[in-house]
Amino acid sequence: DVYKRQPDWMFGEFDDFATTTGTLDINDKTETTDAVTRAYYFVTGLATVPLTALVSFEIEHENPEDLIVKAYAPCGPGAPWEYETVLWNKGKTNTDGKVFLEENRIVANNALLFQPGDDMVNGYWTLEITDTQTGNTGTLNDWSLKISSRWD
């Protein structure tokens, strides 16, 4: 694995969500408002700029086509330099097969979040799940990040 050959300050693997959090219920849309559920990893101790950021997750939902799944780099949702990657959009994905549907589960396996640039690597990385329809519920069963970094 290319990541394991890098010094600790260049690579971080964050994969303890299931053991520390368990599952996270996905909020159901109300009559007037889409429901947003967020999960976070706080990344610290890496260099300053991400080279790659890969995400894996498993979401179980009664109707996966109701969901939009996004990931955000540490600048976070709403920041003027927001780096957002749409991983699943109501049944559509552009992740070259890295995000797929298995029955009523959306699964991501090392999907690339964004192309590297002059972004922040340390801080809160966010997985955001939006339920756009009422009446169906679900859970985020697990999610993880693999991040490689360099000094700017």
Side-chain angles (χ1 to χ4, degrees):
D1 191 343
V2 68
Y3 292 108
K4 300 299 181 184
R5 293 190 301 260
Q6 296 176 346
D8 288 345
W9 57 266
M10 285 185 74
F11 174 73
E13 190 165 2
F14 306 89
D15 59 2
D16 64 349
F17 177 81
T19 56
T20 59
T21 305
T23 61
L24 181 63
D25 289 336
I26 297 170
N27 299 320
D28 192 23
K29 177 186 166 128
T30 66
E31 289 297 322
T32 57
T33 308
D34 287 349
V36 177
T37 304
R38 293 185 180 101
Y40 305 92
Y41 273 116
F42 183 70
V43 173
T44 186
L46 296 181
T48 56
V49 178
L51 289 172
T52 58
L54 305 175
V55 65
S56 296
F57 61 80
E58 179 185 305
I59 298 169
E60 196 165 337
H61 195 270
E62 294 170 5
N63 189 8
E65 286 78 18
D66 291 354
L67 302 179
I68 300 171
V69 182
K70 299 177 183 179
Y72 295 92
C75 48
W81 56 90
E82 174 178 306
Y83 287 100
E84 163 190 288
T85 302
V86 178
L87 298 162
W88 180 265
N89 187 354
K90 300 180 187 177
K92 297 181 181 100
T93 182
N94 62 351
T95 59
D96 296 329
K98 299 290 186 175
V99 179
F100 52 93
L101 190 61
E102 282 186 352
E103 296 180 19
N104 64 338
R105 295 180 311 129
I106 306 168
V107 178
N109 186 11
N110 290 326
L112 183 65
L113 291 185
F114 59 86
Q115 295 300 321
D118 202 20
D119 317 314
M120 293 173 36
V121 70
N122 293 302
Y124 285 98
W125 289 75
T126 306
L127 185 69
E128 179 181 274
I129 305 160
T130 303
D131 191 337
T132 64
Q133 301 295 318
T134 60
N136 293 307
T137 59
T139 57
L140 172 61
N141 294 330
D142 199 7
W143 86 290
S144 63
L145 285 170
K146 291 180 182 177
I147 302 171
S148 64
S149 64
R150 65 173 172 82
W151 293 108
D152 193 13

